Amino acid sequence: MRAILTGFLMLFVAAVSAQDITVRGSVKDAAGDPAIGATIRVQGSSTAGAVTDVNGNFTITCSPRATLDVAYIGYETQSVAVNGRNNITVSLSQLTTDLNEVVVVGYGTQKKVNLSGAVSTVKMEDVLGDRPQPNVAAALQGAIPGLFIGSGSNSPGQTDKTIQIRGTASFSGSNNTVSGISPLILIDNVPGDIDALNPEDIESVTVLKDASSSAIYGARAAAGVVLITTKRPKQAQRVKVNYSGDVGFVNAVSRTKQVSTEDYIQVYKDAFNTNQYTGAQNQNLDDWLSYLQQYKAGTLAGVTDNGIYVAPDGLRYYLGGGDNNGRMLETGTSWNHNLSMSGATDAIRFRMSANSYNEDGPLYSKKDTYDRKSINGVISADLAKWFTQELDIYYTQQNREFLQDETGALFGQRNVDFLPDGRDPAGYLIRTPRNIIDVSNVRTTLIETPRIFTKSIFRPFKGLEAIFEYTYQRKGTDFNYYSGKYTMTDIQLNVLKGPDHDYSIARRFYESRKAINAYATYRFEPWKEHHFSVMGGYNQEFWSYSYYNTRAEDQAIMDIPSMSGAQGTVTTSDVFQEYALRSGFFRFNYDYAGKYLLEVSGRYDGSSKFPKDSRFGFFPSFSVAWNVTNENFMKGTSSWLTQLKPRFSYGSIGNQTSVGYYDYISSMALNTQANVWLSGNANDYVTVIGRPGIVSDKFTWETITTLNVGLDFALFNNRITGSFEYFVRKTKDILSQSVALPAVLGDDAPMQNVGAMKTNGWEFNINYRNHVGPDFSYRIGFNIWDYQSKITKLNFNEEKSLNYLYEGKKAGEIWGYETTGFYTVDDFSDLSTWTLKDGVVKVDGVSPRPGDYKFANLRDGDVDADDVNRINTGKNTANNPGDRKVIGNTTPRFQYGINFGANYKGIDLNVMLQGVAKRDYFANGPYFYTLAAGDGIWMPVFEGTTDYWKPLSQDASSPDYYVAANPGAKLPRIYGNVGNGGYNRNTNTKMLQSAAYMRVKNITLSYTFPKNLLQKVFISNLRAYVSAENPFTFTSLPDGVDPETLSWSYPMYRTISFGLNITL
Amino acid sequence: MLLAIAAFTGLVSCNDDFLDLEPKGSVTEASAFATFETCTDYSLNLYNVFNGPNVNAAAVYFQGPTVNYSSGLGSSQRDIWSGLLTQYTNGYSTIPNMYAAQTVTIPTTSAAYSYPYQMIRTANILLEHLNDGDLNDAQRKHLEAVARFFRAYCHYALLLNFGDCIYVDKVLGENSEELMGSRSSRLFVADQIYKELQWCESNIQDDLAEPNTINSDVVKAFMSRFCLFEGTWRKYHNVAESGEYVSGTQLLQTCVAVSKDLAAKYPTLYTGDNNDKHPGKGWGQMWTTENLGKVPSVLLYVKHVEDKKMHRLGHYEHIASACLEMPQSTVDLYLTVDGLPIHNANVKTYDYNGLTKTYTESATPYDYANADSYKTFRKRDPRLWQMVTPPYHVINNVGTNGWVPDESNDGIYSEFIHQFAPRGNKKTDASGNPYWDSPNFNVAYHQVETHKSLPSTNWAGNILPGVPHTQMSDNANKYTNGKIGYYGGKGFQRGKSSYFVWKHVANWDRQDPTFTADISDKPVFKMEEVLLNYAEAAFELNQFNQSIADVTINRLRDRAEVGRMNVAAIDENFDPDRDKTVAPVLWEIRRERLIELMGESFSFDDVRRWKKGDWFVNKHHYGAWVNSDNLDAVVSRTGGQTGVMNNASHLEASPAEASAQGGGHLYYYLDPKKAGKGWLDKYYLMPIPTEELLLNPNLQQQDAWK
């Protein structure tokens, strides 16, 4: 109705524009100073406007009945009716949303200005905008400093990403690697599945990074907390209906690339010193080259459609093919639809939403798809002035189909490029990636996640709010697969048939969680400016998991697979797990006049995962902060320094994430399918009762202590905002299986509290926003963070063996040799027995040849007295590492995110980048080295691996015998099969790679249609957008080796989408 | 507020039931050992000591880390170490055997050290719980004997590799003093093993033992093995003995006693089934028979059942990763079919007539050690043919699997094709001509009834048209004008010496490219070994004579269809190639042992206990002989020009040298002595892994390795 009225008003305004007047005005900011650069716009018009000058003055021509909107960065936009006046003075008031913004914290909310812990928060709307990213974790990548989102193994729908806060935290359960701990991910205060959420249903995401802010969540929150708050309607508003939808086109970011067949043949000749293609049928390599030439010239007759030529002697020559990884990929499509309705009266508020997302991934065919449907309804009713009841029901169904590769070769390293798709002349399908996809069946995973959340809020008297929450959620997974059978042929023309027995698998997993939270907050102000708030609460959770698996072989009718139709072996298995938690928690806040802030919180936690005597732990923490800018003496700087808040926090939390469900009970497995001993009478599996492990019932909680120093700042009326954090996180009593015990024990050592580690890091983020003229505004945000971890204490490995962690070890360090060049013929005194000259560095266990890497002799005497000028691994300890040293580190350093936005007259551009500035990586596979150390005859040659050392002659009588043809080569000499290939693949400086990268995560361009046009058709908002997810990646790694996964597997993909967002 | 906290704390901690959760559906240590049946189910873990290399494909040749070394399961790793076999790899002019190349380093960790202790723990846990449940005396005794057998077996594995070692006879905890103990003397450890086995022998309940589990005969067979090892070790390593412990002589006497018992109880050896027609098939079929339960001389074996438990040994011997070959020096150890060493004065040589398929004594005798492959294999101990693919050539005429015999040159290429069954099914091609089609063994079992046949194929039935096959030979098949071709091999089978090992290959078995799929059973303890132990121990006690030879060596010879051993005929000159420091008869007993147990990894331990590391390990490894008119068929692809050896210098021959010496052996590797390397006496015992020394300051490294 109002829209219609406004429309009429607009028409009227247009009709009377002939009588426009000139209005002069001045705009003042909160301090009474001129507001420079404020924009003035006539309401309802998209263009007409003015900007204040250095004195805060403006002039505008408009109707005497017009209303002017005055906007200024950091201030609330004010509407002023002209009412025929020629002179107007506008005093702006500061925007409250920035500093008075309320942030969700543990069991409550806090004004951002009053936060004293390390808390980052983002509004999903800001992160997502029009970006059609359907996965919450993927959307958050690069958005929050300290929050790491790993691509894991990519999967359709971008699900199952790893999440970590502030990097490695422990080495639980391991004696040779450190690991991150997953943070506690809470959806409305209860752990939940992030993949089941539609980002559109999320209001905000808060990350609690230090102990002081996460301690309230106790033993599961040791590595931080991600708090996800779903959308719910707030104050009274009219009913709004929103639809957004987009269609996207999906393709792989990159793929591995091989050299041409001609180049491959040359490498093959060099490697095997042969003119036969011994990997297959002993084809003659020169003939092959000549057939290739003729085929390309079009002069070769009798070649099959897919480029196979059967020569007169019956040998097959592959002349077509090429880019087999390209042939396995295609452009998939994705569809996304969101519909939401919300509205509220004074007493009842509701929101309903539905989402449907489906995607056909980048692999050829429709065998990599993901489909998610979710529906959410929230209702909140004020039943009495002192009582509000909320009910939130969320249901999600995820359906994933993914091909099961029975050949194991889909992403293999042996798929030689020249093999074509289709069939070979004998009629068999050739084993190429695309053909594998064709014959593979899909496994389907259906995940249903219903969740019921109720919340009762009592406000019996002023200052007290008591809340009772009950959550029930369930995750039911149905997994089904039927293998079928395939027949294929490989490069040796062997006919491969698989699997041995066709089999069906049905698995059902059920995971359920019941949680109760009861907590109350009392706020009071006993004396003026002394603000107190006390919160106390109780939490209990019960989680249970059951797993049933049935596998049945040999279907009677292969077209109709079923469990009951199986003729062969049927096996079943099951697993049951449970845990329970019961805890009390509290938080105490005090502030004086918003200047001095204090928060103390803690939790008393009990967990069923621990033996009775060490089951409970108490974990307190505190933080303080000082709002310097609220001090009177800071008045003088208030024109530019809007906020300055140093913070300090300290606390420790127990960690139960690294503990198994029943670690303190000695159990013995029943094995029925292992390679058990079969007596003469047995023709089937027999049951073996497995050996019990050594169990210690003395272990206790790991404890993670975090010290955090932070500084929040804002400049120039919040035009620049930012914060800096420095943290030291110490994990002690880390639970692990130590290697302290000699092999004589006969078993792995039991879990014990074995050591401590320390992680130091910092985070920095800064945001800047401004505008040029009334129509162009822009913002840029940058965040960067870094950490490094070190083992500080260990009760085992006192000798610092490099096989295990050792005290003083920096996490991620790479030990390797320093490459000094190649061995040359001048290094040998006898070329027939390959005896090295005196003084030339020797290698233990290896007889070097010209063209092998030569490593620097860094230390002598590590093995024995004769260890002089010999390359070896010494005692394999940090103190006696032989000739190795730390040559790099795999820890991702300086992870950063950049986002940029600009708006011009309804056109919006948003760009998001994310990357790692420094990271080392060493790999010796065929993407990096020529062929492989063994079985090279079947290896393809990948681009970038052809610069290898070559001899001028292999003829012993030639003066050029093993003299280097290319002494400056990057890669060592290639050996056909074994030789010194393994030696050259030792970790070394020359082949250390950089895994640093920068990825443009998203570029979105949108256009908002002018309101005055829309109002005529009763639409309140309409936007159209185009968005590119993962459009560009900058890395020095070979094609196909993604810097996030460091392998060639289901590829990271990019999506280009086109969408529309409409609000009624 | 404090009150509130106190209240919550009270609420939280007083109600513990909610937090007491027990695992559902699993057995705990407290409840597992309730009955004879559950204890027996647990005891099956112990048999894993026999499983390792057999089920783990990667371990077949490249690992031999654990106590499985002598389980007879085809892990040939230790035969490579002893120099009897070679793992041929690309690496021209290297020394592949780390013991010959002196590239053995002290490992940081070693399964050979840690695995026995794991199984000792498994046994000790059973021993500790035998009184928990409801077992009668006989049942308890039987399981105690089984557990003690394995405990002895594992200590033997430690003794064998490391000599002195820490002895463990109870379940250890994190704080047990044994963890920080020093090594006990081998005298003590051997004494413990000896007593343990004696206890087992008198207490094991054969009526409670299921077929193919530990029984008194298995205990005796192991005693026979252990006693021979330790008895001869003491003798040849001059171990100073002490009256406190069992002596070397007593051990040898026990070996003779138990072996004699078993020899009387099991007089029959396996002669194989009649589907195969080649001589001496009993030896070969020991490794390729589906059910060893029916084989009279097998006391314990690893049973394989389709879809339940399979291995890949056969498959592994004809895929590219297989590169197990026999050097000429080992081929020369095999006797002629008459039972004579090849350089014995009375040895005969034979000509083969391909048309009549008959042999006549050769008018111009040749030297078996320096003759082409056909001559080398002709009229030799048939165990050589079962171990190494004999020479042949066929014509690959239809697809990759079809073939016909190459009857050119008077049928000389079919000499051994006729000894073996032809591989595949007889079919007719489009023009009506018959040919053989080799089935795809990937598909099923028992498509063919034979065990070994020619031509060799891979698991997909692709045939290898010719042997000798070597990577050094030219692509072209030079099977013309009576010449023997040196075939380039196929991707799946590509030799370097032309002596390609095919011991575990069985036609009827199914060889799958990706999944473990062979089901032939493999022996663990068998009479053949016991007889050899008997003969050797008897000799060491000066008891060996013709009548013992007849119940030991000659039983093996009869079954292998080789001439019998005539003890009286063995004098100083019987084998001119003999190690002159070894008595002539003992040399023949040892030869028989090496040949009979070839590929089972016994030889490294034998060579060490005989203190003969240098004699065996330092042998230069080279391949088959190439006649001078055939030198052009072998084109070196390895670095030199000829690819054959100069007999005098043991380096690669120049073309002139090669023709001057009338041909030469395929040359690939360096002579260890030539390169200034070779066996070191410290190799007689393995070094203790450094990690263990770091963890236990009281543990001392072997003196020779310090």
Side-chain angles (χ1 to χ4, degrees), chain A residues 497-512:
Chain A
K497 295 186 178 185
D500 208 356
H501 296 269
D502 58 287
Y503 62 97
S504 301
I505 288 182
R507 289 187 192 135
R508 304 288 179 264
F509 315 62
Y510 301 106
E511 201 185 315
S512 76

Side-chain angles (χ1 to χ4, degrees), chain B residues 158-231:
Chain B
L158 292 163
L159 179 78
L160 176 117
N161 287 325
F162 301 100
D164 300 352
C165 62
I166 298 174
Y167 190 83
V168 179
D169 60 359
K170 59 174 183 289
V171 178
L172 302 184
E174 298 163 62
N175 303 316
S176 300
E177 59 186 20
E178 282 84 348
L179 300 193
M180 293 297 146
S182 56
R183 297 197 280 153
S184 299
S185 73
R186 73 179 300 136
L187 298 178
F188 170 78
V189 176
D191 191 58
Q192 293 294 314
I193 295 171
Y194 183 66
K195 286 178 182 152
E196 190 113 289
L197 290 174
Q198 281 184 322
W199 191 94
C200 293
E201 191 195 352
S202 48
N203 286 283
I204 198 154
Q205 309 288 313
D206 284 347
D207 52 337
L208 288 178
E210 274 194 76
N212 198 34
T213 60
I214 308 299
N215 59 25
S216 57
D217 292 340
V218 175
V219 173
K220 282 181 188 165
F222 175 51
M223 282 174 94
S224 164
R225 180 186 296 178
F226 156 72
C227 291
L228 176 70
F229 176 85
E230 185 59 15

